[in-house]
Amino acid sequence: MLLLLGLCLGLSLCVGSQEEAQSWGHSTEQKTKPLMTEFSVKSTIISRYAFTTVSCRMLNRASEDQDIEFQMQIPAAAFITNFTMLIGDKVYQGEITERAKKSGDRVKEKRNKTTEENGEKGTEIFRASAVIPSKDKAAFFLSYEELLQRRLGKYQHSISVRPQQLSGRLSVDVNILESAGIASLEVLPLHNSRQRGSGRGEDDSGPPPSTVINQNETFANIIFKPSVVQQAKIAQNGVLGDFIIRYDVNREQSIGDIQVLNGYFVHYFAPKDLPPLPKNVVFVLDSSASMVGTKLRQTKDALFTILHDLRPQDRFSIIGFSNRIKVWKDHLISVTPDSIRDGKVYIHHMSPTGGTDINGALQRAIRLLNKYVAHNDIGDRSVSLIIFLTDGKPTVGETHTLKILNNTREAARGQVCIFTIGIGNDVDFRLLEKLSLENCGLTRRVHEEEDAGSQLIGFYDEIRTPLLSDIRIDYPPSSVVQATKTLFPNYFNGSEIIIAGKLVDRKLDHLHVEVTASNSKKFVILKTDVPVGPQKAGKDVTGSPRPEGDGEGDSNHIERLWSYLTTKELLSSWLQSDDEPEKERLRQQAQDLALSYRFLTPFTSMKLRGPVPRKDGLEEAHGMSAAMGPEPVVQSVRGAGTQPGPFLEKPYQPRIKISKTSVDGDPHFVVDFPLSKLTVCFNIDGQPGDILRLVSDHMDSGVTVNGELIGAPAPPNGHKKQRTYFRTITILVNKPERSYLEITPSRVILDGGDRLVLPCNQSVVVGSRGLEVSVSANANVTVTIQGSIAFVILIHLYKKPAPFQRHHLGFYIANSEGLSSNCHGLLGQFLNQDARLTEDPAGPSQSPTHLLLLQAGEGPEAVLKVKGHQVPVVWKQRKIYNGEEQIDCWFARNNAAKLIDGEYKDYLASHPFDTGMTLGRGTSREL
C-alpha cells in the first residue's frame, strides 16, 4: 500500500519553509502531550560529504489516540534520502518516486519562496504527522546527505536540535574522517537567533555543556549529550538551537587533493598564498520606500564597514535605486581615504522613496564596469563584481522577469559577476537566484528578523579576496568521463572548487591534471600527474564508520558525492534555461539520477509504503542506516547453523529448491548436468564495472539476466591482484509484458508498470502479470516468471567486513524449464545441454591417491566434452550456498577459455538493461 503526501490513515508528509514552522512534536491536546523519550542525531562526514540520520521516539501516555507531528529543520542544500515511521507495530517505509511533470515548476517555485539554496542560514522543514494509539509508541527516522561547502576557510556542519520539549535521551554524535588531516576544529555555542524562547547559551563562549571532543590527525568524534537538567538550563521549551561544527583540512599540493574510490574521483582545489586580484565593484542598493527604517539603517552601517575594507588597488562606485537610478559617480573611483569618506557621505544621505527599478539599476552598474575595463585594458588581471541588495520585486521600468534576465545576461556577457542579497519575505528571490546563477555569482537571503547589516558583511567577506579568475581544470578525455563542471569564473580566498567524475580505467596509477587561470601578475598554468593508485582508493574509509548512503553494501562516498554534485548542477542548469526542450532534457536527467541514488528533489517525491508488521530490531536498523550503515548480517539459505568468522546467521528454510547451477563469490561459476551427474565449475576474472550477460533468452522466453561487478582489494598474500563480486543483478522480462528488476544487497526495484522499491531487510512477497518476487529479509530474493522459470539471488552481508570483503550477491537458477534451447549467456548456454568425460579417472572414493591430491589442493585431470568442445578439466572441491555445502566439480582453467562460446568480451553488456547477445542461436566456436 502506498501513501502519497497526506492521503490517509492520519499520515502526512511535506517539506516547507522555516517561517511555516510552529511547534515541534506536539499533539493538539496540550494537556496530554506525548512524551519524547529520545531525540538523537548521528552524522558521519567523509571527505566533506555528510550522511545524517535523525531518530525520534515518542510515547502516547493518554487514554485516547493522539495526533503527533515529527518536524526537522535540514540544510537547504541537503537531499533527503530516506524516511521511516514506526507506529505501534506497523512500519511505514519512505520511497523516492517520480514526481508528476506538471508539478515540477510549482515545487521549484515553492522552494525558492521558502529557502535559500546553499545559504548559510538556509533551512527547510521536513514534516510527517501520524496518529499514535493510546499507550503506544512511535518512532521516526529521517536520513539526508549534503556536501559541505568551504566558506571563509572553514567547512560548517549544522544540526538542528529543536525537540520542542525536554528529552530523557538527547544526543548528537558526529564523526569526521579526512584523509588529508584535520587542520582545525571547533564546536560553536548553540546558535538560535530565529525562534523566540530560544536558548540562552548563544552569548556563551566555547562548545555547549556536555560536549566531548576526541580527535587525532585524521579523525574526530564529537558527542553532545546533555542531561535533562542541562537542557533545561539552555531552554526549558526544548528549542536548544543549531549545534555547529567548523573545521578545515590540511592542504599540501598546489594542484589540490584528488581522492579515488571504486572508479570515481573527487578533486578538491583550494590554492593559498596567492596575491589578491584587484576588484572592480559596484554596490547597488535598493532605496525604495519599502526599505524605510531598520533595513536601510543596517545596510548603510554594513556598507560603511565594507568600504573601509577595500584595498588600494580596488575600484568602486555606488548606485542607489528606487523608481530613479542615482549614481554616485559616472565612473569607477580609486580607493583613497577621501573617496571612502565621500562614498560614506553619499550613502548616509540616501533616503527611502518610490518604487523598484531593478532592470535599470543593473544595466547602469554593468555599463560602469564595462566602460572601466574597456578603457584600462585590465580585464584579465581584475575581477568585476556587482553587489546587489533589494527587499522587493521589480515595480518600475522593465518588470517582466525573463526580459530582466535576458537584458542582464546580454549586457554582462560573462564578464561581470552579480552577487545578490534579498531581504525579507516580499523579495522575488527566484529572480535574484537566477540573476546570480546566470552571471557567475551567489545569492543569499536575509529574513525579516535578522540583522541585514551583519549578513551583508558576512557575504562580502566571502568574496572580498579574489585570488584567481577564468579557472579551467582539464583531465585527459581518455581517462575521465562524466565530470562535473570544470570551468569557474573566479576563485575567492577561503572557498574551494570541487570536481567529481568517473575514471575510464579503474587500474589507473596516475591522473594527469592541468589547471589554467589568471591572477594579478600572470597567467597561471599548473600541470602534474597525481598518484591515484589502489593505495589511495578506500584510504579515507579504512577503520571508519561506513555510511550506507546509496543503500549498497559497498558504500562509496565519492560516488554519492559525484551523484549529489551532478544532480545539483542539473537542477541549476534547469533553473537557468528558458528553452523548453532543453529544460525537459535537463529535468529528465536530474530525475533519473535522483531516482537512482534516492534523492528527494524538485523532480522526485516521497511516498510512504505500508503498513507492514514490524520485525525485531527494525528500529535499531533504521536508526543507524544513513549515518553508520545498518548492522550487516548474512543469513543461511539452507537451514540453521553457525559459521566462523564475521558472519551472523539466522535459520531460514527456502521454499524453492536451489540447483547447483550458479555464480557466486569472486565470481565462481558452477554448472550442473543432471543427466550425466556431472558438475563443472570455472572462474571469470572480470573488471570492476563490467556487466556480464548471465542468461540471454530475449528472443524466445523474453528473459535476460545481467550482473554488474564491483571490485575489492585482494586478501594479503593472495595470488590475485583484486577480487570482484556481483553487486547488482538485473532481470528483464519481455513477455507477456515488459518488466524489469534491479537487485542489490539492500533493495529490489521492480518496474512492471508501477514502480516498487522493496528493502531487502524486510520479508515481503509481491507479484503481477506472471512475475512474482519474494524477499526473505537479509537472506535471498526469489524471482519466479510464468511459473516455469525461477531464480534465487543470495544476499551476502558482513557484520564487520575486512578490506577485501564486499556485500554482494549470488545468482542461482532454480528452474530453467521455461528457457528455450537457444538460451545463451555465461550460464544460460549450458542449460538444456549435457556433458561427458572422455577420460574418466577413478573417483575420490576409489583412489587413496586422489584423496591425498585433494588435500594438497590438486586433483586428477580429464577431458570434458560439452557442446562439441573438448575441454581439459581438473577435479576440484568448491563450496556453494553461502559456504554451507561442498561439492565436487570438474574445473576449467584459464577463465573457461575452452569451455564457453566466444571470448570474455562477447559477454559484456553495454548497460544493465542490455538485452542484446552476439552469441547464441546455434553459434558455436570452432575448435
Side-chain angles (χ1 to χ4, degrees), residues 216-289:
N216 60 27
E217 184 180 345
T218 59
F219 178 78
N221 172 247
I222 302 99
I223 296 177
F224 171 55
K225 199 172 183 179
S227 65
V228 174
V229 173
Q230 289 171 320
Q231 294 173 48
K233 287 182 178 179
I234 298 171
Q236 293 191 5
N237 62 1
V239 184
L240 275 66
D242 295 320
F243 186 80
I244 299 173
I245 299 169
R246 286 181 183 161
Y247 74 96
D248 199 18
V249 301
N250 296 319
R251 289 174 175 80
E252 296 179 2
Q253 297 190 49
S254 58
I255 202 76
D257 177 24
I258 296 181
Q259 300 178 15
V260 173
L261 186 61
N262 287 339
Y264 289 83
F265 79 93
V266 59
H267 183 184
Y268 301 102
F269 181 63
K272 54 184 179 179
D273 302 326
L274 295 172
L277 281 164
K279 294 191 298 291
N280 315 313
V281 57
V282 178
F283 299 97
V284 183
L285 175 61
D286 185 346
S287 58
S288 62

Side-chain angles (χ1 to χ4, degrees), residues 442-458:
L442 300 170
T443 187
R444 293 288 184 272
R445 185 170 192 165
V446 180
H447 293 273
E448 291 284 1
E449 64 271 31
E450 290 180 329
D451 184 345
S454 64
Q455 297 298 308
L456 176 57
I457 292 173

Side-chain angles (χ1 to χ4, degrees), residues 40 223 369 492 852:
S40 64
I223 296 177
L369 291 165
F492 296 97
L852 293 173

Side-chain angles (χ1 to χ4, degrees), residues 167-214:
S167 174
R169 289 186 294 170
L170 188 150
S171 66
V172 176
D173 188 344
V174 180
N175 292 308
I176 302 173
L177 186 70
E178 294 287 350
S179 59
I182 299 173
S184 63
L185 184 144
E186 62 176 334
V187 179
L188 276 60
L190 289 167
H191 179 79
N192 198 353
S193 61
R194 306 205 47 208
Q195 302 231 4
R196 279 176 273 184
S198 62
R200 297 189 300 274
E202 201 170 331
D203 297 329
D204 300 339
S205 60
S210 82
T211 302
V212 177
I213 303 172
N214 291 300

Side-chain angles (χ1 to χ4, degrees), residues 282-288 290-291 319-327 353-367 386-409 411 418-423 426-436 439 443:
V282 178
F283 299 97
V284 183
L285 175 61
D286 185 346
S287 58
S288 62
S290 59
M291 287 287 290
I319 294 177
F321 73 96
S322 53
N323 55 328
R324 295 174 51 206
I325 312 300
K326 293 159 279 189
V327 182
T353 181
T356 309
D357 186 358
I358 290 177
N359 182 73
L362 287 170
Q363 292 296 309
R364 192 64 181 272
I366 294 170
R367 284 201 298 271
I386 292 174
I387 297 178
F388 182 89
L389 186 146
T390 183
D391 72 337
K393 303 176 178 66
T395 60
V396 177
E398 181 58 71
T399 59
H400 193 269
T401 297
L402 285 179
K403 288 186 178 180
I404 295 174
L405 292 168
N406 289 335
N407 293 343
T408 304
R409 186 168 54 245
I418 301 175
F419 296 83
T420 59
I421 300 172
I423 301 177
D426 297 326
V427 69
D428 187 347
F429 190 70
R430 187 172 189 180
L431 171 61
L432 298 186
E433 185 179 37
K434 292 194 74 171
L435 281 168
S436 294
N439 298 281
T443 187

Side-chain angles (χ1 to χ4, degrees), residues 851-872:
L851 288 176
L852 293 173
L853 289 170
L854 284 179
Q855 292 173 4
E858 301 174 352
E861 295 188 352
V863 176
L864 181 79
K865 188 171 183 179
V866 57
K867 298 174 60 181
H869 302 178
Q870 301 286 336
V871 186

Side-chain angles (χ1 to χ4, degrees), residues 583-827:
K583 283 181 79 75
E584 174 57 23
R585 183 185 66 82
L586 292 166
R587 185 197 70 80
Q588 190 62 52
Q589 286 182 336
Q591 184 182 75
D592 290 346
L593 195 61
L595 288 172
S596 296
Y597 289 90
R598 301 201 308 280
F599 291 148
L600 183 57
T601 72
F603 302 134
T604 53
S605 61
M606 179 174 283
K607 296 178 181 179
L608 283 177
R609 184 174 56 81
V612 296
R614 186 169 75 191
K615 296 178 70 69
D616 291 340
L618 186 60
E619 292 190 22
E620 289 72 16
H622 282 295
M624 299 288 287
S625 61
M628 303 289 286
E631 273 299 297
V633 297
V634 173
Q635 293 188 341
S636 165
V637 297
R638 304 286 291 182
T642 304
Q643 288 182 350
F647 301 107
L648 173 62
E649 290 188 9
K650 296 181 181 179
Y652 170 72
Q653 295 294 339
R655 60 189 187 88
I656 289 184
K657 182 182 183 299
I658 304 177
S659 80
K660 297 177 185 177
T661 301
S662 61
V663 54
D664 209 340
D666 177 23
H668 298 159
F669 288 75
V670 176
V671 178
D672 192 33
F673 296 96
L675 292 178
S676 56
K677 297 182 180 179
L678 285 176
T679 302
V680 178
C681 51
F682 58 96
N683 296 345
I684 293 291
D685 293 328
Q687 295 299 316
D690 285 354
I691 300 169
L692 305 186
R693 306 179 195 274
L694 303 179
V695 176
S696 295
D697 199 28
H698 179 71
M699 299 301 294
D700 293 284
S701 67
V703 174
T704 302
V705 182
N706 297 325
E708 182 178 359
L709 295 175
I710 190 171
N717 304 318
H719 65 283
K720 289 186 175 183
K721 293 184 178 179
Q722 67 173 353
R723 285 184 165 190
T724 51
Y725 304 90
F726 284 109
R727 75 166 176 181
T728 306
I729 298 291
T730 306
I731 302 175
L732 297 98
V733 182
N734 205 39
K735 297 177 182 179
E737 297 182 47
R738 184 172 177 81
S739 303
Y740 76 81
L741 287 121
E742 185 182 69
I743 303 166
T744 72
S746 65
R747 66 176 181 178
V748 178
I749 298 177
L750 168 59
D751 195 335
D754 294 324
R755 190 174 186 273
L756 290 176
V757 179
L758 310 174
C760 288
N761 61 3
Q762 299 176 32
S763 296
V764 66
V765 178
V766 297
S768 67
R769 300 186 297 183
L771 178 66
E772 180 181 294
V773 180
S774 174
V775 180
S776 179
N778 289 331
N780 61 67
V781 178
T782 301
V783 180
T784 307
I785 303 164
Q786 301 297 325
S788 60
I789 302 170
F791 305 126
V792 177
I793 295 89
L794 301 193
I795 302 171
H796 299 292
L797 304 173
Y798 296 86
K799 188 173 183 180
K800 294 181 180 179
F804 54 87
Q805 293 172 324
R806 295 288 184 268
H807 301 335
H808 63 280
L809 302 173
F811 175 75
Y812 291 74
I813 299 178
N815 185 358
S816 61
E817 289 178 5
L819 296 171
S820 75
S821 59
N822 293 317
C823 184
H824 213 274
L826 285 168
L827 284 176

